[in-house]
Amino acid sequence: MTELDQLEVQESLSRSQRKGTNKRQSQPLNEEFKENLLATKVLPAILWSLFLSLASVANPYLTTLATNIQTQDLYAGMAMQMGQHPYGNFFGTSGLLYYLLTSLGSLFTTTWVFVGLQFIALLIAGIYFYKLVAYFTKSESMATSYSHWFYLFLWGIGFGGLYAALFALPFILTSIWFLVRYFENAVRDEAFILYGIDAALVFLIYPKSLLLWLVAGLVLLIFNSHKRQMARGIYQLLASIFGFLLILYAVGYYAFEAQILGTAIQQTFLYSLRLNFSSATLGWTLLLLVGFLTIAGFWKNVISTLLSYPQKQHTYIKTLLLLVFLVHLVFIIGTSDFQWAQLISLLPYGFLLGATHWQVGELEEEEPTYLRQHYFLPLLVCLAIVAQPTYTYLIQGDLLSERETVATYVAEQTQSSDKIYVWDTTAHIYLASHRLSAATITTAQPYLDTETNRSSLTFDLNKNEAAMIVVNKNIPLLDGLSSNLSSSYEQIQTSSNFIIYKKK
């Protein structure tokens, strides 16, 4: 089933600076761009989005499969529904709007709303991804093939969903589509207000994704300089800033009202955007990245794109995609705690780089699928789809069962208003017991890699606001936590993996 794309391509207005006047003059419509628009198949995007959303850990039947980051995001939704604020009451590196979405997704004491929100995000992202590939390749079959693998990769490396990077995808892809249209002379300058709104939404969901707009600013500067339309570029910049501030002020009011602006800046910028190339895990991160980029075919896409520059097609958009891809790689390499979900940010650029260099003539002779283009190596990514649930049930089955037992015990022995602390690699016990954390950093990973955060956790726990503290015996304790347990808490329960302490 297909639906014709109802995109209306309007006459573009250009700004040219002439002697004695800065008058904007209209330019003729780019008819070639209009002719290249193909019908957008939305059914595959609907089916994939529905499937991946139902398979997300927001589905209450699949929550036990959630990773640490996913459980912390589910915890954020629960905590906000109970009156807490992000950054102030719990540590978070995603944007404020994302945490507001987690709160919305946890309405009515269930996370099914979150499933619906993820469906919308995946659907919009899939539709615009298809439009972009179809435009570059001028082939419906290629666009369909790329779309299937786009969703498969999201399923594999972002198993269970609920990552901030995933919710940023719709705005990233709509903005790339906007820039494609701009370079083809098919949008008005005033539309840059919408471009700025996209930037603000991404900034407030997953701040690292703003790299696209920062790099695009440089590419647009070069483009407008080459076209001798710098006055037009200034007008576009002002329109973008207006759109950005329009959303920033609307959402930022919550931060001012909750008095969390300072901590929000510290956690989303000073912590999450820092680079650490001296990390002990740097070699392991590089090895994993090289393996993934080779299997995914992204290295081949990068090389093919570089070799395609003599064709002089889509030069500016290819440069933009390539630069943003490389900058994202730098930030992933420089992280002190590598997570597979960080690779979600690479997917739009990695796939689109593989589509930008195809020639119409090549596709008329042969239309290879994405899988055949990359020697069937992407099949290996599908192994990740079964790896996590297999590991969870076969290797961690007993640990999962114990978490449920501990959560039940904690819920029975405490009041709903009591706070607890769980020294574990997941926030699952908080969720299952429906109890809030006594510290802003809720788990033993991944945020205790800085002395500031370790001191913050010790300070919070020394207040002794936790009615109970649950300790995973397999995780070494911080010195401050160990001392506080000895002086202020008594051991009341133990199991194979956990020790439960109660305040004296």
Side-chain angles (χ1 to χ4, degrees):
M1 175 180 179
T2 63
E3 291 184 8
L4 291 178
D5 182 4
Q6 300 299 321
L7 173 69
E8 294 182 1
V9 181
Q10 298 176 326
E11 181 179 359
S12 170
L13 297 179
S14 69
R15 284 182 170 274
S16 57
Q17 189 174 16
R18 297 185 178 180
K19 188 175 181 179
T21 179
N22 288 327
K23 181 181 178 181
R24 281 192 296 148
Q25 300 177 338
S26 61
Q27 292 181 347
L29 175 70
N30 189 330
E31 295 294 338
E32 181 183 357
F33 177 81
K34 185 176 180 180
E35 292 172 2
N36 286 338
L37 295 179
L38 300 176
T40 301
K41 291 183 178 180
V42 299
L43 183 59
I46 291 174
L47 295 178
W48 271 113
S49 300
L50 180 61
F51 174 75
L52 292 185
S53 298
L54 290 175
S56 83
V57 294
N59 183 333
Y61 299 104
L62 301 175
T63 302
T64 53
L65 297 175
T67 64
N68 186 14
I69 297 298
Q70 290 167 331
T71 59
Q72 291 196 48
D73 288 343
L74 291 172
Y75 172 85
M78 181 189 78
M80 292 182 72
Q81 285 295 315
M82 296 173 71
Q84 290 198 335
H85 301 293
Y87 315 118
N89 297 118
F90 57 87
F91 195 91
T93 58
S94 298
L96 177 58
L97 182 56
Y98 178 69
Y99 289 117
L100 293 176
L101 289 175
T102 66
S103 178
L104 178 62
S106 300
L107 284 174
F108 314 118
T109 66
T110 180
T111 51
W112 279 110
V113 179
F114 220 152
V115 172
L117 294 174
Q118 180 167 299
F119 170 78
I120 295 171
L122 288 172
L123 177 61
I124 297 173
I127 289 173
Y128 278 89
F129 180 81
Y130 180 96
K131 290 158 73 79
L132 284 160
V133 177
Y135 171 70
F136 288 129
T137 64
K138 303 176 180 62
S139 166
E140 289 187 357
S141 63
M142 287 284 286
T144 301
S145 172
Y146 270 60
S147 293
H148 288 321
W149 282 101
F150 176 67
Y151 280 112
L152 278 169
F153 273 54
L154 283 176
W155 188 13
I157 65 177
F159 186 90
L162 300 196
Y163 291 107
L166 185 150
F167 283 84
L169 286 177
F171 308 105
I172 291 172
L173 288 161
T174 53
S175 290
I176 294 175
W177 178 242
F178 175 88
L179 291 169
V180 167
R181 294 168 59 210
Y182 174 70
F183 291 135
E184 293 288 356
N185 187 34
V187 294
R188 292 179 179 272
D189 291 344
E190 290 79 4
F192 272 83
I193 294 176
L194 300 177
Y195 177 71
I197 288 175
D198 267 359
L201 291 171
V202 161
F203 170 72
L204 292 167
I205 293 175
Y206 188 60
K208 285 184 181 179
S209 292
L210 197 63
L211 292 172
L212 168 64
W213 283 262
L214 297 177
V215 175
L218 176 62
V219 175
L220 287 169
L221 176 64
I222 296 172
F223 177 82
N224 287 326
S225 176
H226 178 72
K227 296 291 184 179
R228 297 183 179 179
Q229 51 188 29
M230 293 303 294
R232 184 183 182 190
I234 294 174
Y235 182 81
Q236 294 162 2
L237 175 63
L238 294 175
S240 299
I241 293 174
F242 175 76
F244 186 89
L245 294 178
L246 194 66
I247 299 297
L248 191 64
Y249 283 138
V251 179
Y253 177 77
Y254 174 87
F256 282 107
E257 184 70 18
Q259 299 181 347
I260 56 173
L261 182 61
T263 52
I265 293 173
Q266 180 182 8
Q267 293 172 28
T268 57
F269 285 100
L270 301 184
Y271 179 84
S272 65
L273 294 181
R274 76 196 195 288
L275 294 173
N276 179 14
F277 295 107
S278 61
S279 171
T281 61
L282 179 60
W284 178 242
T285 300
L286 286 172
L287 181 63
L288 291 175
L289 270 179
V290 170
F292 170 76
L293 296 177
T294 302
I295 291 171
F298 291 170
W299 276 138
K300 182 175 180 289
N301 291 346
V302 168
I303 294 171
S304 298
T305 299
L306 292 173
L307 295 176
S308 71
Y309 270 93
Q311 297 171 3
K312 296 183 179 180
Q313 279 193 325
H314 314 303
T315 301
Y316 287 99
I317 197 67
K318 283 194 293 191
T319 301
L320 172 63
L321 294 173
L322 186 60
L323 289 176
V324 179
F325 180 81
L326 295 175
V327 173
H328 268 295
L329 272 182
V330 171
F331 273 89
I332 293 174
I333 294 171
T335 187
S336 58
D337 184 70
F338 175 77
Q339 304 284 336
W340 284 107
Q342 293 170 341
L343 301 176
I344 292 174
S345 299
L346 296 177
L347 296 186
Y349 313 105
F351 277 112
L352 291 177
L353 284 173
T356 55
H357 64 272
W358 285 96
Q359 296 287 326
V360 180
E362 292 177 319
L363 294 176
E364 288 176 353
E365 298 172 4
E366 180 182 16
E367 294 190 358
T369 63
Y370 188 82
L371 187 61
R372 284 167 52 199
Q373 286 178 11
H374 299 287
Y375 318 113
F376 300 93
L377 287 175
L379 281 174
L380 297 177
V381 175
C382 296
L383 295 177
I385 297 172
V386 297
Q388 182 173 333
T390 300
Y391 174 78
T392 300
Y393 282 112
L394 296 184
I395 308 299
Q396 291 194 317
D398 292 340
L399 183 59
L400 288 174
S401 178
E402 281 193 43
R403 284 191 179 117
E404 290 290 341
T405 302
V406 169
T408 300
Y409 179 82
V410 169
E412 291 173 349
Q413 299 298 317
T414 59
Q415 302 295 321
S416 59
S417 59
D418 287 337
K419 292 182 179 180
I420 64 172
Y421 188 73
V422 182
W423 181 255
D424 196 8
T425 57
T426 171
H428 181 78
I429 293 177
Y430 296 113
L431 296 170
S433 64
H434 207 68
R435 297 292 184 267
L436 293 174
S437 171
T440 55
I441 298 177
T442 56
T443 62
Q445 295 174 356
Y447 304 128
L448 293 177
D449 57 340
T450 66
E451 184 59 37
T452 299
N453 286 355
R454 289 191 290 270
S455 298
S456 173
L457 175 60
T458 301
F459 176 79
D460 287 342
L461 293 180
N462 283 341
K463 295 177 183 178
N464 294 328
E465 294 180 351
M468 285 186 174
I469 294 181
V470 180
V471 174
N472 187 324
K473 294 190 293 187
N474 302 310
I475 306 173
L477 286 172
L478 293 178
D479 292 338
L481 176 54
S482 180
S483 300
N484 191 47
L485 285 173
S486 299
S487 61
S488 304
Y489 291 83
E490 60 181 347
Q491 179 178 325
I492 60 172
Q493 191 75 269
T494 185
S495 63
S496 299
N497 293 287
F498 293 98
I499 302 175
I500 303 176
Y501 294 86
K502 186 176 181 179
K503 187 163 64 172
K504 292 179 182 179

